[in-house]
């Protein structure tokens, strides 16, 4: 992959869902494709179910910006409570979304989003996609801890920011002995994911299945009534 327009991704979820890990994998995959990336996690108290966000910038050109992404092209919602209970550092959850942007939501069924919010998104020509990422993670990997991999698979189905080969290698390196550790809690979660499988090769195989299944389960929500 030689060129790509500058893309800004905001990932919002809850502690324990692997939002930080997903951002690192995506940024690493971009680098493997010869692209520039900048990854910044943001979270408060390191505890399960506390709000967590990560920001990923990907471009063919040098990236000088760091920190929070205020105007994302893509927003990934890892848990429905980000929307339904406001467990998010950015309110409303789609704040700052650019025109023609995409929103990917992890939910089995469409959520009850206010009509005025849907109207605002329609005016921006934004698109909402749903994927049952946690359900797929439980079915294929046997654990909701693999929700982040399913979300990356769904993202690939929306927009191919990296090649599939680079994404798979980045996942393998992340769980196969990579040196990156964002925090102690993230390292513990990585170890928990690994413990679900007898061999790393088995985990990689399941992750590849997750990516394919999530892409196939992706559905677009119509903003028109």
């Amino acid at each position: 992959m030689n060129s790509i327009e500058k893309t800004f991704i905001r990932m919002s979820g809850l502690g324990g869902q692997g939002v930080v890990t997903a951002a690192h994998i995506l940024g690493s995959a971009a680098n493997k494709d010869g692209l520039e990336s900048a990854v910044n996690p943001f979270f408060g108290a390191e505890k399960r179910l506390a709000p967590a966000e990560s920001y990923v910038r990907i471009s063919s050109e040098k990236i000088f910006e760091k920190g929070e992404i205020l105007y994302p092209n893509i927003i990934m919602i890892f848990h429905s409570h980000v929307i339904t209970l406001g467990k998010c550092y950015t309110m409303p959850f789609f704040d700052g979304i650019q025109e023609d942007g995409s929103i990917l939501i992890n939910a089995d069924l469409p959520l009850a989003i206010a009509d005025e919010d849907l109207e605002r998104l329609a005016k921006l020509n934004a698109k909402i996609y749903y994927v049952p990422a946690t359900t797929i993670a439980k079915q294929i990997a046997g654990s909701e801890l693999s929700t982040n991999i399913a979300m990356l698979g769904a993202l690939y189905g929306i927009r191919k920011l990296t090649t599939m080969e680079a994404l798979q290698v980045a996942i393998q390196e992340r769980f196969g002995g990579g040196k990156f550790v964002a925090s102690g809690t993230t390292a513990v979660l990585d170890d928990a994911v690994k413990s679900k499988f007898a061999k790393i090769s088995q985990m990689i195989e399941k992750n590849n299945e997750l990516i394919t299944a999530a892409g196939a389960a992706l559905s677009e929500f119509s903003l028109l009534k």
Side-chain angles (χ1 to χ4, degrees), residues 1-9 11 20-41 54-67 69 152 155 161-162 166-167 170 173 180:
M1 183 171 290
N2 297 318
S3 64
I4 188 171
E5 293 183 6
K6 187 174 290 187
T7 303
F8 304 94
I9 305 105
M11 301 181 180
V20 174
T21 296
H24 171 251
I25 289 172
L26 182 59
S28 178
N31 293 155
K32 294 181 185 307
D33 278 330
L35 301 171
E36 297 289 328
S37 73
V39 177
N40 299 97
S54 284
Y55 313 110
V56 184
R57 294 170 171 86
I58 297 176
S59 177
S60 300
E61 303 175 353
K62 285 289 184 181
I63 298 174
F64 299 100
E65 307 99 319
K66 301 291 183 182
I69 291 177
L152 289 174
L155 174 63
L161 299 172
T162 71
L167 183 60
E173 289 184 354
F180 176 87

Side-chain angles (χ1 to χ4, degrees), residues 60-178:
S60 300
E61 303 175 353
K62 285 289 184 181
I63 298 174
F64 299 100
E65 307 99 319
K66 301 291 183 182
E68 183 181 3
I69 291 177
L70 299 177
Y71 303 104
N73 305 100
I74 299 171
I75 295 175
M76 300 173 68
I77 305 297
F78 282 61
H79 198 288
S80 60
H81 286 179
V82 170
I83 298 174
T84 60
L85 298 181
K87 286 195 171 184
C88 182
Y89 291 111
T90 306
M91 292 297 292
F93 71 92
F94 59 85
D95 187 55
I97 187 74
Q98 294 190 36
E99 191 170 357
D100 299 317
S102 298
I103 300 173
L104 173 62
I105 302 173
N106 170 27
D108 290 354
L109 297 171
L111 303 179
I113 299 174
D115 288 343
E116 56 265 33
D117 288 341
L118 294 177
E119 291 174 3
R120 289 173 61 185
L121 290 169
K123 289 179 180 178
L124 290 170
N125 195 35
K127 292 180 172 59
I128 294 180
Y129 299 89
Y130 282 94
V131 63
T134 300
T135 297
I136 292 173
K138 290 178 179 178
Q139 290 174 344
I140 294 178
S143 172
E144 64 181 31
L145 294 176
S146 295
T147 293
N148 55 353
I149 303 301
M151 288 293 283
L152 289 174
L155 174 63
Y156 186 83
I158 295 172
R159 187 170 177 185
K160 294 174 175 55
L161 299 172
T162 71
T163 61
M164 178 58 71
E165 292 77 13
L167 183 60
Q168 290 174 337
V169 172
I171 292 172
Q172 182 173 353
E173 289 184 354
R174 183 71 175 97
F175 295 109

Side-chain angles (χ1 to χ4, degrees), residues 183-204:
S183 68
T185 301
T186 303
V188 169
L189 289 172
D190 280 1
D191 289 340
V193 172
K194 295 176 186 178
S195 70
K196 299 291 182 180
F197 304 92
K199 298 180 180 178
I200 293 296
S201 59
Q202 183 186 47
M203 183 187 69
I204 299 303

